[in-house]
Amino acid sequence: MPAQEGVNYRESFLAAVARGLSEECDVSIFDREGQLKSNYYLRDIEYVDTLWLPYERWGERAVVGGSEDNFFSQIQMRKKAYWAAFIIVDQMKAVQGRPNLREVNRVEWKTFDNAATLIRGNRSDKAELLFRCLQKGMQHLVGSRRADEWLPELAD
């Protein structure tokens, strides 16, 4: 499962990605000047979908972190928007994550097929969303033709 930390009030998507990776996986993608490290390349950040939360997770909460007493401070949350960040790293050893053991139990590199196997354990709508994220990642790495051929194999 990729990091899913959410976006704070007045925070850019890239800053939210960096914060989430740092908090959940102890991975730092910014250098001391607050710029993306030279061995990381941000390929894209894009909206994927919005899913209804399971009924037991409906409730009043802040729509974004860091919102004190304003329009965003409390809503009746029933669904959640998902965005995906595609960051290319020059070497796998450049990313040595450690799980925070609260939201993340394990951090490890997986092939697309191995990641898909793990994703199947989610509820079906979320699994489908995560499959699409994997497919988009594959498009960024190896091209659309291979990615289009790969996804139907997951559905059997």
Side-chain angles (χ1 to χ4, degrees):
M1 178 71 66
Q4 299 182 54
E5 200 50 40
V7 181
N8 287 333
Y9 187 59
R10 296 187 184 200
E11 181 178 47
S12 72
F13 284 119
L14 181 56
V17 168
R19 181 178 46 78
L21 287 171
S22 176
E23 289 177 8
E24 294 186 357
C25 305
D26 197 28
V27 171
S28 173
I29 64 172
F30 286 154
D31 62 21
R32 291 181 187 189
E33 288 78 42
Q35 301 299 311
L36 203 58
K37 289 181 178 176
S38 62
N39 56 331
Y40 289 80
Y41 170 69
L42 175 64
R43 181 69 185 242
D44 196 13
I45 295 178
E46 61 183 84
Y47 169 77
V48 180
D49 205 351
T50 299
L51 298 181
W52 284 93
L53 291 170
Y55 180 76
E56 61 274 7
R57 293 199 50 216
W58 288 16
E60 194 135 319
R61 61 181 90 170
V63 70
V64 294
S67 61
E68 306 305 322
D69 211 8
N70 63 34
F71 178 73
F72 297 114
S73 60
Q74 291 296 308
I75 64 157
Q76 185 69 24
M77 191 163 162
R78 295 181 180 183
K79 47 188 172 174
K80 183 176 176 182
Y82 289 86
W83 291 74
F86 301 97
I87 299 172
I88 297 174
V89 182
D90 64 353
Q91 296 179 16
M92 286 173 42
K93 67 181 180 180
V95 179
Q96 298 294 321
R98 288 189 305 263
N100 68 3
L101 301 178
R102 290 184 311 276
E103 297 98 345
V104 177
N105 293 322
R106 189 173 66 229
V107 177
E108 57 192 20
W109 286 99
K110 294 286 187 187
T111 65
F112 285 102
D113 291 330
N114 288 344
T117 299
L118 293 173
I119 286 170
R120 285 191 180 110
N122 284 275
R123 65 180 205 267
S124 62
D125 59 342
K126 190 162 186 181
E128 175 60 32
L129 177 139
L130 293 170
F131 286 153
R132 283 187 280 144
C133 289
L134 279 181
Q135 186 182 34
K136 287 173 185 277
M138 185 179 282
Q139 287 171 345
H140 286 296
L141 289 174
V142 298
S144 294
R145 185 171 168 196
R146 169 102 195 286
D148 290 344
E149 294 168 0
W150 177 75
L151 189 58
E153 295 174 17
L154 298 174
D156 332 69

